[in-house]
Amino acid sequence: MVAVRYQTAFRLYPYQKVPAQEAAAPLRHPVVIVGGGPVGMALALDLGNRGTPCLVLDDHDGVGLGSRAICFAKRTLEICDRLGCGERMVDKGVVWNVGRVYRDDREIYAFDLLPETGHKRPAFINLQQPYFEQFLVEEIRRKQAVGAPVEIRGRNAVTGLEQHADHVAVSVDTPDGPYRLEADYLVACDGANSPIRTMMGLDFGGRVFEDNFLIADIRMDADHPVERRFWFDPPFNRGETALMHKQPDDVWRLDFQLGWDIDRKAEMATDKVCARVAATIGADVPFDLVWSSIYTFRCCTMDRYRHGRVFFAGDSAHQVSPFGARGANGGVQDADNLGWKLSAVLSGAASESLLDSYHDERKQAAMENIANSSRAADFLTPRTPAHALFRDAVLDLVERYDFARPMVNSGRLSTPCTYDGSALNIPDGLPNGPSRSRPGSPASDVSLGDSHLLERFGSDFTLLAIGGPAAPVDGCKLVALSPADDESGALADRYLGDAGAAVYLIRPDHHIAARWPAFDAKTVTTAIRAALGGGGA
Amino acid sequence: MTDLILSVNLARSDDVYARLLAAHDGLDEAESQALNARLILILMNHIGDADVLMQAIDAAGPDPVDAELA
């Protein structure tokens, strides 16, 4: 029996019986990914692109209903570019830069994200999660057609697992009954209520925030500008907050804070939801209710994201409040971090110890995301009268003085983590270089006339040489540039600072592993070995 | 790191203190609390030094950390 836990928006990988279900002995797979959401599919696509065989098991056969995550950050789009589907995301997505903040019925300030120039991708797009998942799966299908070793099995529910010294034994249930398989490595991308985590008896600790939020996604023909609007204490939701945001297909996300003591069933009644919507957008504006849901949230994390041969990625490992769009974006970055490491270990290029750095780096990122999203939640949901006092004081002041604007916290939008202190970083050989490009940081994009820097990088290690000589080393791709290749000066500003030349070693996930003032082949070879965890063949 | 000043540092302190009290005259308790909160935020911004402010928050607590009181 494979239980149906939710309704799917559309089927992408219908159940098909495979010979493995009748095999006399369980078949071994290098990587088994449990859960076909954005994180699991991003990982599968990355592994497939690298030629590392992987099998995705999902207990459903398509994408869950409802827009859910709607905000995808630049870093996620850059990862999608590397995976091959960034263009599709951006073509469909809605780009926004302006946000307006209201209190009661007045606008108290507006902001423009004013994205830094030279980046191929915008700071954010709004895109319904089902599209994000669909485009990943479509890209997997395209890559499968040219030989990428990815397999997706729908309605395959993992019901048990055992860890052995050299593999994980997995029990799977299907509409045709159970079967067993084995994995060298298993990655649990099975969401905040991770069944794998429960099967393994692992803790998921953190804070519950005592608040409820109602999402109403509506379709309307409106000439509202594409702006993010956020209200404190609006007339249509007294004492609480509200958010309005544009998605593709003329769909708008409305998000109402409801407070803690509510009658959930009454609030979910369609009439009541529609009345709230009408009070927000105006009684005379026609609309269709597309999807609605009430959510609560926790900020939680597992202690460790690696347990032997089992890894946890995305919401199964850590959960954040929605403020700041750090859930799906953080999860995709988990996949980005783990894919190349699994491939390197399975191909023998790196030793197993490289995989420990997945926990170290992504736990650091998760703690950053949890801190940011908890602070936003504390601002929106003051826990004590003193907290409410200061929140209201900030809102009083923001109407009078500019200085208080940065204190208003309706979500600190997702940015990638710099892995300071990671064991994979090589000591900074250019300590006076730009801080944003120090070892551990995500490489910044730069416009190079008709192309962009990040798209010049390979999917393995890349050597970036600016303003000085360099030669290819150990098969890593060489990108040789002159500061003059970017007339805006951004290349020099982001990678050189006061230095006349620099050489960067870029990891397969486009984080910076090392940098030096000049090229030396032996130094680069040593650095690549260190960035692969120090062991290896 | 700049140390928080906890020795005498304010000239005309009687004048400022009197002005603080006067600002609260006629306010009810909630209004007074709100005024204090706004004042703290304005001063925080003016001081503009996170290290000093963290020391000040410690120093103002019911059980100040002696080590912080340079």
Side-chain angles (χ1 to χ4, degrees), chain A residues 273-516:
Chain A
V273 174
C274 289
R276 279 187 184 280
V277 172
T280 306
I281 63 173
D284 53 341
V285 180
F287 69 92
D288 296 318
L289 185 62
V290 177
W291 181 64
S292 67
S293 172
I294 288 181
Y295 66 89
T296 57
F297 57 85
R298 306 173 288 178
C299 284
C300 292
T301 178
M302 294 179 72
D303 185 27
R304 298 203 61 83
Y305 298 168
R306 178 186 184 187
H307 288 264
R309 294 179 167 271
V310 177
F311 297 82
F312 291 83
D315 283 355
S316 72
H318 42 72
Q319 197 182 1
V320 293
S321 87
F323 313 115
R326 288 166 180 268
N329 287 298
V332 169
Q333 289 168 52
D334 288 349
D336 180 53
N337 189 283
L338 186 55
W340 69 274
K341 293 175 180 174
L342 282 172
S343 288
V345 169
L346 283 161
S347 73
S351 73
E352 255 243 319
S353 63
L354 174 63
L355 299 174
D356 287 332
S357 70
Y358 167 73
H359 162 80
D360 296 339
E361 294 184 339
R362 293 313 300 165
K363 179 88 187 254
Q364 181 183 352
M367 296 314 286
E368 209 172 278
N369 288 331
I370 285 173
N372 276 292
S373 91
S374 299
R375 287 170 176 182
D378 282 337
F379 194 85
L380 301 179
T381 306
R383 279 178 289 139
T384 71
H387 295 192
L389 176 70
F390 280 105
R391 197 275 297 271
D392 290 341
V394 168
L395 294 176
D396 287 345
L397 288 169
V398 84
E399 294 189 64
R400 305 188 205 170
Y401 313 112
D402 284 354
F403 86 83
R405 286 184 185 186
M407 293 178 173
V408 177
N409 192 344
S410 65
R412 302 288 182 231
L413 295 172
S414 170
T415 50
C417 177
T418 293
Y419 303 133
D420 283 320
S422 169
L424 304 187
N425 296 347
I426 283 77
D428 195 350
L430 201 69
N432 297 321
S435 168
R436 65 188 288 166
S437 297
R438 66 190 183 275
S441 56
S444 303
D445 208 359
V446 174
S447 171
L448 298 170
D450 51 6
S451 69
H452 283 81
L453 181 62
L454 296 186
E455 63 196 9
R456 304 275 285 272
F457 293 168
S459 56
D460 207 332
F461 282 91
T462 300
L463 201 58
L464 168 66
I466 306 168
V473 178
D474 293 348
C476 84
K477 184 177 181 183
L478 174 64
V479 176
L481 299 173
S482 144
D485 287 336
D486 169 34
E487 289 171 2
S488 77
L491 180 65
D493 187 51
R494 290 167 204 175
Y495 287 91
L496 294 177
D498 295 329
V503 173
Y504 281 79
L505 179 64
I506 313 288
R507 305 186 342 183
D509 58 7
H510 298 177
H511 277 255
I512 289 161
R515 61 179 181 177
W516 307 277

Side-chain angles (χ1 to χ4, degrees), chain A residues 157-162 169-173 178-181:
Chain A
V158 173
T159 54
L161 80 169
E162 292 157 30
V170 185
S171 303
V172 182
D173 203 3
Y179 71 105
R180 292 176 66 79
L181 52 81

Side-chain angles (χ1 to χ4, degrees), chain A residues 88-102:
Chain A
R88 192 81 184 81
M89 306 287 182
V90 176
D91 283 351
K92 182 70 189 176
V94 171
V95 177
W96 63 277
N97 285 309
V98 173
R100 295 184 189 281
V101 179
Y102 301 83

Side-chain angles (χ1 to χ4, degrees), chain A residues 177-217:
Chain A
Y179 71 105
R180 292 176 66 79
L181 52 81
E182 294 178 355
D184 288 341
Y185 297 102
L186 182 141
V187 187
C189 308
D190 52 349
N193 298 315
S194 172
I196 300 287
R197 198 179 62 222
T198 305
M199 285 172 212
M200 293 177 69
L202 297 168
D203 286 339
F204 196 51
R207 268 176 70 191
V208 174
F209 290 80
E210 297 195 339
D211 211 341
N212 290 279
F213 289 80
L214 169 75
I215 288 178
D217 278 352

